[in-house]
Structure formats: C-alpha cells, structure tokens
Amino acid sequence: RKEVEQDPGPFNVPEGATVAFNCTYSNSASQSFFWYRQDCRKEPKLLMSVYSSGNEDGRFTAQLNRASQYISLLIRDSKLSDSATYLCVVSPGGGTYKYIFGTGTRLKVLA
Amino acid sequence: SAVISQKPSRDICQRGTSLTIQCQVDSQVTMMFWYRQQPGQSLTLIATANQGSEATYESGFVIDKFPISRPNLTFSTLTVSNMSPEDSSIYLCSAEPGTNTEAFFGQGTRLTVV
C-alpha cells in the first residue's frame, strides 16, 4: 500500500461545478497535511494546509478525517483557472521532516 | 514564507557529463530537500540537504551519483553525475522554514540527457 494515495483522474468538470478529491494516508501518526497545486511544467505551490478542525479559503475547503485516515479537498464554483494537478502531501512528523507526496489528481475545468 | 531561486531552469546535457543545480533561498531555513519528478509522476525525495554535514539520502539514491552541498542555511547544490538518458527529469529543491511548516519549491530544473 502506498503511503499516500490519490485518484489520478483526470476529473473533467464544467465551469461552476463542485468537485471533491480524497487522499488516503497509511501512517496513522502523520501530523501535518497539505494540498499543493501544480500547474503544467511548474513547481508545486501550497494551496492550503489541512487542520483537524477543517479549514476554508474562499471556494476551497479542506478536511481531515484522522479516524479514516483521509483528507479531502472541495472546490466550489470551479473556474477554468482551477485546472491543474492537486497534490496531497503528508508529513509523518515525530522528528521526521520529510514530506510524502501523493501522485496527484488532475483536474480539468471545461468551458 | 520563503522565495527560492533555482538555476538553471533547463539544460540539455551529453551522457557521461555532470550538471550542478543551485538553489538560493531568500532567508535562512531549517531544512532543504531535493526531489525528482519524472514526467507524469509525483515528487520523489532524493535527499535531505544538511547544513554542515553530509546529506541524508533516500533508498535508491547515492552520494556518488547525486552529491549535495549545503554550505549555509540559504544555499544548496545538487549535482547529477555521469548522466544517462534515464536521469532526464525535473529536479526540484524545496525549503521548510520551520518544523512541519509548509514547503516552498524552486522553479525546477528540466534536465534532458542525450
């Protein structure tokens, strides 16, 4: 089982749609969670951190479910500019600084 | 946050040669890392660049092939040695200003070995 698993997609959705991605992780002791966005031929950029209480930033909502060991990202009112690959990132913590990256979920928002 | 300047942004190299990639951070950071991203794949950690000591390599990566330097808290280099076409990839450096904080990335180096 991979340490961090994501559905690679692609998710093709029309503009204005709501789309949700899930990511599962295998290490129950993981401490930090992030969603990164990567555009084609660009470096990953932080979209948002994921907190235990969940967090929202405009059209984006991230949630953490420790019991089931998954995090989710919800995008409302999709824009064409949201088309990108969304990477789930998990930090094991416990003195380990390494980040574990999922393979990414590709989103294409269609006009 | 941290701003990372990575260079070169791309290069085409002959097999058997070596390429050194540089990363400069605009502030002192605790941790710096080097990743490789194959086309259509996610990021694979090559090593953790430790300031003042030898880098810590992940399984499958060795110092002779990927020597790393980190002379201070703002700068690191990765060398891809004795290159072969299989080394063609995107190489990314990243920095974490603090423990379990978000990671920031350089713009990446797109390497093609011919």
Side-chain angles (χ1 to χ4, degrees):
Chain A
R1 182 185 175 187
K2 291 182 179 178
E3 291 182 88
V4 178
E5 290 199 75
Q6 294 181 252
D7 182 341
F11 284 60
N12 297 321
V13 303
E15 267 188 296
T18 295
V19 61
F21 310 136
N22 280 342
C23 164
T24 59
Y25 60 94
S26 62
N27 184 351
S28 60
S30 297
Q31 295 189 0
S32 301
F33 309 88
F34 307 94
W35 283 102
Y36 275 74
R37 169 186 171 137
Q38 187 172 27
D39 293 291
C40 187
R41 295 176 176 264
K42 299 287 187 181
E43 74 276 19
K45 293 186 178 178
L46 179 68
L47 178 65
M48 58 198 311
S49 303
V50 187
Y51 305 120
S52 297
S53 56
N55 49 308
E56 184 174 316
D57 183 3
R59 298 182 294 109
F60 299 84
T61 300
Q63 292 190 317
L64 167 64
N65 185 317
R66 284 193 181 272
S68 300
Q69 295 182 208
Y70 76 85
I71 66 173
S72 64
L73 177 67
L74 182 77
I75 305 175
R76 290 181 296 277
D77 189 23
S78 299
K79 312 291 185 189
L80 293 175
S81 58
D82 293 334
S83 298
T85 296
Y86 291 84
L87 299 167
C88 171
V89 183
V90 175
S91 173
T96 299
Y97 299 98
K98 295 186 297 185
Y99 283 6
I100 311 298
F101 285 79
T103 54
T105 297
R106 190 174 171 198
L107 172 65
K108 297 177 74 173
V109 181
L110 308 172
Chain B
S1 65
V3 176
I4 305 175
S5 297
Q6 182 175 342
K7 58 181 182 181
S9 59
R10 61 178 61 229
D11 208 340
I12 301 173
C13 301
Q14 297 289 325
R15 68 177 66 200
T17 63
S18 297
L19 175 72
T20 295
I21 303 168
Q22 299 181 2
C23 262
Q24 178 73 54
V25 189
D26 68 343
S27 59
Q28 292 186 345
V29 293
T30 306
M31 310 297 293
M32 289 186 75
F33 304 90
W34 287 96
Y35 291 87
R36 183 170 71 183
Q37 188 173 28
Q38 308 275 28
Q41 307 277 325
S42 190
L43 282 72
T44 300
L45 182 63
I46 296 172
T48 303
N50 300 308
Q51 193 266 327
S53 64
E54 195 170 282
T56 304
Y57 289 84
E58 298 300 303
S59 176
F61 297 98
V62 296
I63 187 171
D64 290 345
K65 176 66 176 178
F66 298 101
I68 287 170
S69 79
R70 187 160 180 211
N72 56 52
L73 292 175
T74 64
F75 185 78
S76 180
T77 67
L78 168 75
T79 299
V80 186
S81 303
N82 188 24
M83 288 182 285
S84 66
E86 292 71 35
D87 295 321
S88 298
S89 188
I90 297 171
Y91 294 84
L92 293 145
C93 67
S94 83
E96 290 176 40
T99 306
N100 288 332
T101 59
E102 59 264 32
F104 298 89
F105 287 86
Q107 300 90 337
T109 297
R110 184 176 297 273
L111 171 63
T112 302
V113 184
V114 297

